[in-house]
Amino acid sequence: MMKEEELPVPFLFNPQKHHLGVLYDILSHTGFEALFPLLLKLGSSQMDMYTGKLPPRAIFKEIASFLEENGITDRTVYREYLASRGDYIPVTLSDNAVWTLRFAAGERFVHVHPGRHVPHTRRIKATALKTALLYEAAKRDGRLSGDQLADINRLREMIGLSPIRSLKECRHLLELVDLLETT
């Protein structure tokens, strides 16, 4: 599992919010209670999640090649390159996923995000992702009763989220539960 602090400089990237493979890895190595601090880091809005097969290191290697091929060798050149292109750069990788590069302060000035509405990326609501992750962890620990609605609401209550009224109303959440079950 790649943590933010293990990223190669100059990249800034939140792997827990933007790479499904990293979440799979976290789920396979993290117990139910240990998952709670991660859930706090996911925030409360929406995020774009890469669902492709490239591991983070391969993604950064391909982006580094793109930067090198375009003569982007340092922070100043990068900022000028961004400014000439509307303050972001879309980069298409070998698996056809498109990643968006933006500027960030500090030594990690290449801020990397999955692109929107592109191959291998899904727009995900943070509350649904938190619930789905907790549901999968509870399932792996044998903490589910078998009543999916009751289980989901009990788990949501544990992380301060309001209950859902019916499973029909939470298609996005159930899609994420299904996606995480394939690990």
Side-chain angles (χ1 to χ4, degrees), residues 17-86:
K17 286 178 80 169
H18 297 301
H19 198 289
L20 188 62
V22 170
L23 289 179
Y24 287 159
D25 193 46
I26 289 169
L27 277 173
S28 67
H29 295 96
T30 306
F32 184 77
E33 273 85 19
L35 191 59
F36 285 83
L38 166 71
L39 299 178
L40 293 173
K41 293 180 181 182
L42 294 176
S44 59
S45 61
Q46 296 185 73
M47 64 199 78
D48 295 304
M49 180 75 64
Y50 172 71
T51 60
K53 302 292 183 201
L54 291 176
R57 292 189 198 292
I59 291 167
F60 297 117
K61 184 176 180 182
E62 289 191 35
I63 292 172
S65 292
F66 168 85
L67 295 173
E68 185 179 315
E69 289 166 11
N70 286 281
I72 302 168
T73 56
D74 62 40
R75 171 189 196 79
T76 303
V77 173
Y78 179 68
R79 191 169 207 163
E80 290 169 1
Y81 190 89
L82 278 174
S84 71
R85 286 160 176 76

Side-chain angles (χ1 to χ4, degrees), residues 27 30-33 35-36 38-39 42 126-159 161 164 167 170 172-183:
L27 277 173
T30 306
F32 184 77
E33 273 85 19
L35 191 59
F36 285 83
L38 166 71
L39 299 178
L42 294 176
T127 55
L129 180 60
K130 289 176 185 182
T131 305
L133 287 166
L134 200 54
Y135 185 88
E136 183 61 21
K139 179 179 158 191
R140 291 175 184 210
D141 274 10
R143 295 174 181 250
L144 299 180
S145 70
D147 179 341
Q148 192 174 34
L149 180 61
D151 287 332
I152 287 172
N153 283 332
R154 179 178 48 81
L155 295 168
R156 288 175 65 85
E157 182 180 356
M158 293 173 86
I159 55 174
L161 298 176
I164 57 173
L167 294 175
C170 60
H172 181 66
L173 168 59
L174 295 177
E175 287 173 358
L176 292 174
V177 167
D178 287 343
L179 186 62
L180 291 171
E181 284 178 346
T182 62
T183 62

